[in-house]
């Protein structure tokens, strides 16, 4: 019998290692022959550790499992039984393209990877010209999943056309946004998919070297990605002749050091070069003068990991999913105070309300939803009144919001939105790279101003608005430039949270 | 003559070995800092001059890079390090109260060490465990759904 116990960090944080140990212990005590697979997470975090038992080719899920449940799980008598995981409503409703294998396979088995469609995209790409590969990616409509939503194919074309013997592929795995964990889950659950995507990118633009910059807060992802790179090298997926094609591509894992701003692409490049993570002015574009001044593709994990399926199934297949100019699928990360939290990959276009209420099941606390922050610490807070907003780049932009890396953080009615606005400013002050005054000093002033408002000084509200304007206009990057999104959206949609003290005093 | 471990001389010598192992990398500085911190629990001041020499950058630059990053410590932490997530998703589930309780119980603020010298308390902004917060990392091990009871248990274990 095969038993799957996720090695995903969220599963481990909820006791998966203890469960895995109990499985081995129990199997030994009974003389049962058990193969333990540490798979990725299926993404239903409220059911983690979600254990699957496979007998006769059928997988049955149990969750959330504790060590004490293991005996019953092995007998098949446990009350935690869920049935086949694919049949659970949360899973069944998804369109898993990028995350097709995550949770299904052994993350470090290249054989299983290939048995489930892995390397098809790379094989196809190796038979095409770089130009044709880039065209396929462009035609798929894939846009950067790291936040800015820039068309991936167009970025690649700039790098492909840039002259130079040395070019780089840099994968941005800094994933610092609160409420996001798609990059982490993919790296821990299907690392070869990212390797394949980076190799395709390298082949397409003529880069022979890649780096994955993973934040240090992700020790599990670092471990799995590093191991996968080694296996890929040994098996000839990476190296001097990728899959025997005669084309070279290799890559390395690098580890960040706890600076949020290093997720910004030029800061990340400086960090890779061994410098302080200060943001660079653009132009020059990293595509033309990136890592060590060489033409460089910088892409988010999910952008790159979506390329294999685009190549394998074709641009038209991918493009067919989605809404407006947001094509394909997006791994929604439903987080915070939510009943059914986790990763839900689906075509663009669901409304915010459908995501939070129907899929997420409302709040974990059972209280009414007050606000949802979408897109991380630089994303706006959306009130329930905006729940009809469809999930798409332009659709969110029209509401003064952004989808960012597609993390959604749910808050119930006990949330104090003035406090959340204050935190946005505080976070900006802590993480500012220090290059621009509006960001570095403005954020500190922002905290002070919001504190004044909190003490009942409503005259400070216009000051806060002005300050946000200055930050928006005078910041070099989106840290200073977008911090006004959460601040102003909180103020706009929840003015009472800002004036409560003043009203109290007046009464 | 070999210098006693922990002396500036010994650190400089060991740093030199670490550099030799990593200097072939493109952009070796962060990997060097990580290796030093893994070995010493912090980046000792005595390690900086050899880095500057071998990488051919100024000492001010080495120091500037190191101090830019929240991860690198210039002084050792206590034997146990508890990191509590303070970012939004964890806040939505009561991380602020957990943070307050931890500070109170340990008698220290963030970036400080408990009065008994056993635990260093740190804040972290997101561990990617945002669907099972409040989240923490205890001596490198991730923990989810940290409510008051869980926190008390964690603190009891690290202070035992
Ligand atoms: C402060 C800041 C933090 C960012 N953090 C990340 C991050 O953690 N991961 C990421 O992929 N992009 C991040 N970005 C966006 C990157 O600058 C860049 O747009 C992205 O890596 C490009 O890849 P994509 O086109 O595949 O999205 C951040 C931007 C800013 C301004
Ligand atoms: S906006 Fe802030 S983080 Fe961005 S470049 Fe300016 S100072 Fe640095
Ligand atoms: S770039 Fe000049 S103030 Fe920010
Ligand atoms: S916000 Fe705490 S783990 Fe992500």
């Amino acid at each position: 019998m095969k038993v799957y116990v996720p090695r995903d960090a969220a599963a481990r944080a909820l006791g998966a290692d203890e469960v895995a140990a109990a499985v081995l212990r129990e199997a030994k005590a009974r003389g049962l022959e058990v193969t333990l697979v540490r798979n990725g997470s299926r993404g239903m975090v409220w059911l983690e550790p979600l254990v699957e038992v496979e007998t006769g080719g059928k997988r049955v899920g149990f969750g959330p499992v504790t060590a004490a449940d293991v005996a019953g799980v092995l007998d098949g008598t446990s009350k935690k039984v869920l049935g086949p995981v694919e049949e659970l409503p949360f899973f069944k409703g998804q369109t898993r393209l990028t995350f097709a294998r995550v949770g299904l396979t052994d993350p470090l088995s290249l054989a299983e990877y290939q048995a489930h469609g892995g390397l098809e995209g790379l094989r196809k790409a190796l038979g095409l010209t770089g130009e044709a590969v880039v065209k396929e990616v462009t035609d798929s409509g894939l846009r950067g999943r790291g936040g800015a939503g820039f068309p991936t194919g167009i970025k690649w074309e700039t790098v492909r056309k840039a002259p130079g013997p040395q070019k780089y592929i840099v994968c941005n795995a800094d994933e610092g946004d609160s409420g996001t964990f798609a990059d982490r889950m993919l790296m821990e659950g299907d690392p070869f998919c990212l390797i394949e995507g980076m190799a395709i990118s390298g082949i397409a633009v003529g880069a022979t070297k890649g780096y994955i910059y993973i934040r240090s807060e992700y020790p599990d992802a670092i471990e799995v990605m590093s191991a996968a790179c080694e296996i890929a090298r040994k098996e000839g997926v990476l190296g001097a002749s990728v899959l025997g094609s005669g084309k070279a591509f290799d890559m390395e894992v690098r580890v960040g050091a706890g600076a949020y701003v290093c997720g910004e692409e030029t800061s990340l490049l400086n960090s890779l070069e061994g410098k302080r993570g200060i943001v660079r002015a653009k132009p020059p574009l990293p595509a033309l003068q990136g890592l060590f001044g060489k033409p460089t593709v910088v892409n988010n994990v999910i952008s790159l990991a979506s390329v294999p399926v685009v190549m394998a199934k074709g641009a038209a297949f991918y493009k067919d999913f989605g809404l407006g100019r947001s094509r394909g699928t997006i791994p929604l990360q439903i987080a915070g105070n939510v009943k059914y939290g986790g990763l839900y990959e689906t075509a663009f276009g669901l409304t915010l309300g459908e995501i939070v209420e129907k899929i997420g099941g409302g709040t974990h606390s059972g209280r009414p939803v007050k606000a949802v922050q979408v897109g991380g610490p630089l994303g706006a807070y959306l009130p329930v009144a905006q729940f009809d907003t469809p999930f798409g780049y332009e659709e969110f932009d029209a509401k003064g919001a952004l989808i960012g890396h597609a993390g959604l953080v749910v808050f119930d009615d006990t949330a104090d939105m003035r406090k959340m606005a204050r935190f946005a400013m505080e976070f900006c002050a802590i993480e500012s790279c220090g290059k621009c005054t509006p960001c570095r000093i403005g954020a500190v002033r922002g905290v002070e101003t919001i504190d004044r408002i909190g003490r009942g000084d409503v005259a400070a509200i216009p000051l806060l608005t002005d300050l946000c304007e200055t930050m928006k206009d005078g910041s070099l990057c989106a840290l200073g430039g977008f911090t006004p999104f959460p601040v102003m959206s909180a103020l706009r949609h929840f003015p009472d949270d800002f004036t409560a003290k003043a009203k109290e005093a007046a009464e | 003559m070999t210098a006693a471990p922990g002396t500036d001389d010994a650190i400089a010598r060991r740093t030199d070995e670490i550099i030799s192992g990593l200097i072939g990398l493109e952009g070796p500085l962060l990997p060097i800092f990580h290796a030093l911190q893994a070995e010493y629990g912090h980046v000792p001041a005595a390690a900086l001059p050899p880095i500057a020499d071998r990488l051919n950058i100024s000492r001010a630059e080495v120091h500037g890079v190191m101090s830019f990053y929240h991860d690198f410590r210039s002084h050792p932490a206590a034997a146990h390090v508890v990191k509590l997530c303070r970012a939004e998703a964890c806040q939505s589930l009561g991380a602020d109260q957990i943070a307050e309780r931890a500070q109170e119980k340990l008698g220290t603020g963030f970036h400080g060490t408990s009065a008994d010298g056993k635990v260093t308390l740190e804040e972290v902004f997101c561990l990617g465990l945002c669907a099972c917060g409040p989240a923490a990392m205890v001596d490198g091990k991730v923990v989810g759904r940290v409510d008051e009871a869980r926190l008390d248990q964690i603190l009891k274990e690290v202070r035992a």
Side-chain angles (χ1 to χ4, degrees), chain A residues 309-452:
Chain A
V309 67
V310 166
M311 290 310 299
K313 302 231 164 130
F317 168 82
Y318 192 79
K319 193 176 186 157
D320 220 31
F321 298 95
L323 163 83
R325 287 178 49 219
S326 308
R327 309 313 313 171
T329 58
I330 181 85
L332 302 168
Q333 299 129 83
I334 310 173
N337 193 337
V338 67
K339 192 167 178 193
Y340 304 126
L343 183 132
Y344 193 97
E345 182 177 353
T346 182
F348 284 95
L350 290 178
T351 66
L352 181 58
E354 285 173 314
I355 297 167
V356 172
E357 301 285 8
K358 262 176 55 196
I359 299 166
T363 62
H364 173 77
S365 60
R367 302 182 65 96
V369 174
K370 180 165 184 174
V372 183
Q373 186 179 32
V374 183
L378 309 176
Y381 286 98
L382 290 95
V384 176
Q386 291 183 327
F387 267 18
D388 58 347
T389 313
F391 208 85
Y393 295 99
E394 281 69 31
E395 291 72 12
F396 265 61
D397 189 53
K399 297 279 170 80
L402 51 94
I403 66 172
H405 188 46
L408 300 100
V409 177
V410 180
F411 291 81
D412 74 10
D413 62 349
T414 61
D416 175 349
M417 301 312 293
R418 188 193 60 83
K419 223 175 110 192
M420 298 319 298
R422 183 190 192 278
F423 177 79
M425 285 291 190
E426 185 192 1
F427 184 74
C428 181
I430 294 172
E431 299 296 336
S432 171
C433 86
K435 190 159 179 161
C436 333
T437 315
C439 170
R440 181 175 34 113
I441 308 291
V444 177
R445 292 279 170 277
V447 173
E448 292 164 5
T449 310
I450 294 171
D451 281 343
R452 265 178 69 186

Side-chain angles (χ1 to χ4, degrees), chain A residues 44-65:
Chain A
M44 290 167 282
V45 177
W46 78 97
L47 293 176
E48 293 290 359
L50 192 162
V51 174
E52 286 176 86
V53 177
E54 181 180 312
T55 39
K58 277 216 185 75
R59 281 164 80 150
V60 178
F62 299 84
V65 173

Side-chain angles (χ1 to χ4, degrees), chain A residues 261 264 266-267 277-280 428 431-441 471 474-482:
Chain A
V261 75
E264 194 286 330
T266 60
S267 162
I278 306 274
V279 173
R280 300 177 184 171
C428 181
E431 299 296 336
S432 171
C433 86
K435 190 159 179 161
C436 333
T437 315
C439 170
R440 181 175 34 113
I441 308 291
M471 287 176 73
S475 297
L476 185 57
C477 86
L479 183 48
F482 286 11

Side-chain angles (χ1 to χ4, degrees), chain A residues 144-146 155 172 174-176 260 263-265 298-300 303 478:
Chain A
R145 302 292 190 236
K155 187 185 285 186
N172 188 340
D174 201 48
E175 196 165 62
Y260 175 75
E264 194 286 330
E265 56 186 2
V298 184
N299 269 139
N300 172 255
S303 316

Side-chain angles (χ1 to χ4, degrees), chain A residues 49 96 99 133 184 195 251 270-271 279 295 323 328 369 373 394 414-415 441 487:
Chain A
R96 286 209 162 199
F99 280 75
V133 176
R184 179 184 67 64
I195 292 175
M251 60 202 235
N270 276 336
S271 183
V279 173
L323 163 83
V369 174
Q373 186 179 32
E394 281 69 31
T414 61
I441 308 291
V487 175

Side-chain angles (χ1 to χ4, degrees), chain B residues 62-93:
Chain B
V62 178
H63 183 264
V65 174
M66 183 191 141
S67 56
F68 181 86
Y69 296 96
H70 302 303
D71 276 4
F72 301 129
R73 302 172 203 284
S74 48
H75 298 285
H80 299 286
V81 178
V82 174
K83 296 185 183 184
L84 298 178
C85 177
R86 283 198 54 217
E88 291 92 335
C90 287
Q91 285 183 42
S92 78
L93 290 165

